Each structure stands twice: as structure tokens, then as C-alpha cells.
Amino acid sequence: MVLIDEEGNMVHGSVLPKFIYKFDINLSENACYIIKNVSVGDSSPTYKYVDNDKKVNLYLKSTVTPCEDFGGDLHGFKFQSIDALIGMVTKPNTIVDVIGVVANYSPIEDKNKNLMVNNKELPLNLWGTYAPDMSNYILANPDQAPVVVVLQFGLFKIREGRPAVSNSLNVSKMYINEDIHEINEFKMRYLGSLPSKPPSSSRLSAPTICVPLREEFLNSTEFCHIIELEEFYKVT
């Protein structure tokens, strides 16, 4: 778990497998709780998802009580500057939050997925269920523009001298054109930065979708059954 308080402070939390039966029905995402009697220890994971040297652990005597009085931000985004990422000022293997417009997108993993901020593009690599989530949204909303994406708890990497951000499986959170303050504000800034009468070459449009060669072949080729081959009387 990642727990956040009303002031935006975050801490990593966990439950031992033998105690999950007690807490799995009491904890849900984006809900507020009062959690008592936790143990606190040092946090030294391979990838640090929150800026905190401690972690909390729920055990048998811990209690979880619903609370309706949360007045803080539910997301706690801490966006990384795209200039720092593209310029490789940010250290590799750093956990980052990024926001931007989808400039182009390909259903192939690790290819042609770029976030654009201030006309600067940052490669975005999606794995696991994150890739089809993006594909499904873009295919189902071809006229949506701009498509603004937030990737929280993404992993910054430098491969062969090139910077990129990818999702961390089961940890990252992705928001696509959702009605949240950060995305709405980014859209307003982005639309406000466009020329009032843009030329046709720079008109606002939905992301360009690059279709893999295999999919193009399967979709555009007329197939026949093998048994039909006996019925051909001319070269086909």
C-alpha cells in the first residue's frame, strides 16, 4: 500500500500474508481510514516509491476504522520536470510522476508511445495491462483530443543513452483523460498554448496510431479456407 495523509505525506505500508484475511475486506483504494497499532520499521526497497525512510506494517493487533473526514488530496502527484527527464538530469531507476499529451501511440510494446509537454516528447513504455488500457481508450475515443495521461509511480530509465519512462507492474497508476484537477488544468494550459488559428499542419488532433505490420496484414487481406483451394481453376 501507499498511504497518504491530509498534508500529502506518503508512506509505504504492508500486511503480512498471514494477516491479510483480517484486512482485505477493510481496505480499499481512495478511501479514508484511521489505522491504529501499527509497527514502524526502516524502508530500503530496490525501488523507492515514496520519499520516506520508514514503512508501516499492519499486524494482528492493528485496527482499521473507516473515516469520512479526509480533507487532503487523494492523489499526491509530484510531477517530474520533463526537461530534467529528457536532459537526463534525473538519476536512472528513479520513481517519477509524469503528465503530458499523447503525441503518438503504437499497440506494440516498447515502441512509439510518446508524451508531449511544451513540444518536447518523452518516450513512454507501457507493459502488462497498461498497454491494452491505453489502446482500448484511444480506439474507443478516436475524436478525443488532446489525450492527457498521468502516470504515477513510473520508472525512469536510460537505455542506450536514451531516456524513457515505463510503468512498474502492479504499482504504477495511469489516468487517461480522467476528470481530475491535474488533468483538467493541464488541458487548459495546453489548449491555451496553441495558436488561435493554427495552420492545417499543426491542427489539434487525436494521437497518431501506428498499426503493426502483422495486424495490417491480417485486417486487409482476404482469406479463404484450405478446402476451397480445390475449387480454383486459375492462378490466384
Side-chain angles (χ1 to χ4, degrees):
M1 298 175 292
V2 173
L3 306 175
I4 182 172
D5 65 13
E6 290 184 324
E7 297 178 354
N9 304 304
M10 293 185 179
V11 66
H12 176 208
S14 62
V15 181
L16 291 175
K18 62 182 178 180
F19 298 139
I20 286 181
Y21 75 92
K22 179 180 178 182
F23 299 105
D24 63 350
I25 61 174
N26 297 324
L27 293 172
S28 61
E29 203 166 341
N30 291 335
C32 178
Y33 299 98
I34 297 174
I35 305 175
K36 295 183 178 180
N37 297 330
V38 300
S39 63
V40 180
D42 294 329
S43 177
S44 55
T46 303
Y47 298 115
K48 202 169 184 180
Y49 293 97
V50 298
D51 186 19
N52 198 320
D53 293 330
K54 301 295 181 182
K55 63 179 293 188
V56 298
N57 302 284
L58 279 64
Y59 64 111
L60 191 59
K61 293 185 179 180
S62 301
T63 60
V64 177
T65 307
C67 174
E68 303 297 334
D69 194 29
F70 187 78
D73 182 12
L74 291 177
H75 304 105
F77 299 132
K78 294 179 175 61
F79 294 120
Q80 181 70 259
S81 165
I82 196 168
D83 290 327
L85 297 173
I86 295 176
M88 293 180 284
V89 176
T90 304
K91 294 181 179 180
N93 299 327
T94 299
I95 301 299
V96 297
D97 298 348
V98 293
I99 183 172
V101 173
V102 178
N104 57 66
Y105 176 77
S106 169
I108 300 178
E109 288 185 342
D110 197 23
K111 180 181 179 183
N112 294 338
K113 290 180 280 289
N114 292 323
L115 286 183
M116 183 171 64
V117 180
N118 296 334
N119 294 323
K120 299 177 181 179
E121 293 187 7
L122 173 72
L124 177 67
N125 301 325
L126 300 177
W127 312 96
T129 60
Y130 295 79
D133 285 348
M134 175 74 81
S135 296
N136 293 338
Y137 180 87
I138 291 178
L139 292 174
N141 301 275
D143 298 326
Q144 284 285 350
V147 176
V148 178
V149 172
V150 170
L151 182 69
Q152 188 176 26
F153 305 127
L155 181 61
F156 176 66
K157 288 272 193 179
I158 298 178
R159 296 179 179 176
E160 300 178 351
R162 297 179 180 179
V165 173
S166 63
N167 62 283
S168 300
L169 290 178
N170 302 322
V171 178
S172 298
K173 297 187 67 177
M174 185 169 64
Y175 304 83
I176 308 175
N177 265 3
E178 293 195 22
D179 186 17
I180 58 178
H181 171 72
E182 290 79 4
I183 287 182
N184 292 333
E185 185 181 55
F186 188 92
K187 279 186 179 182
M188 292 180 62
R189 292 203 311 270
Y190 177 77
L191 294 172
S193 67
L194 296 175
S196 57
K197 292 183 179 180
S200 58
S201 60
S202 62
R203 285 182 303 188
L204 179 62
S205 61
T208 301
I209 302 178
C210 305
V211 181
L213 183 60
R214 178 178 181 276
E215 290 188 17
E216 183 179 359
F217 170 75
L218 293 176
N219 292 332
S220 61
T221 304
E222 184 178 353
F223 291 91
C224 63
H225 298 289
I226 292 178
I227 194 172
E228 294 176 313
L229 298 178
E230 298 179 357
E231 301 175 2
F232 289 149
Y233 299 100
K234 64 180 181 179
V235 178
T236 301

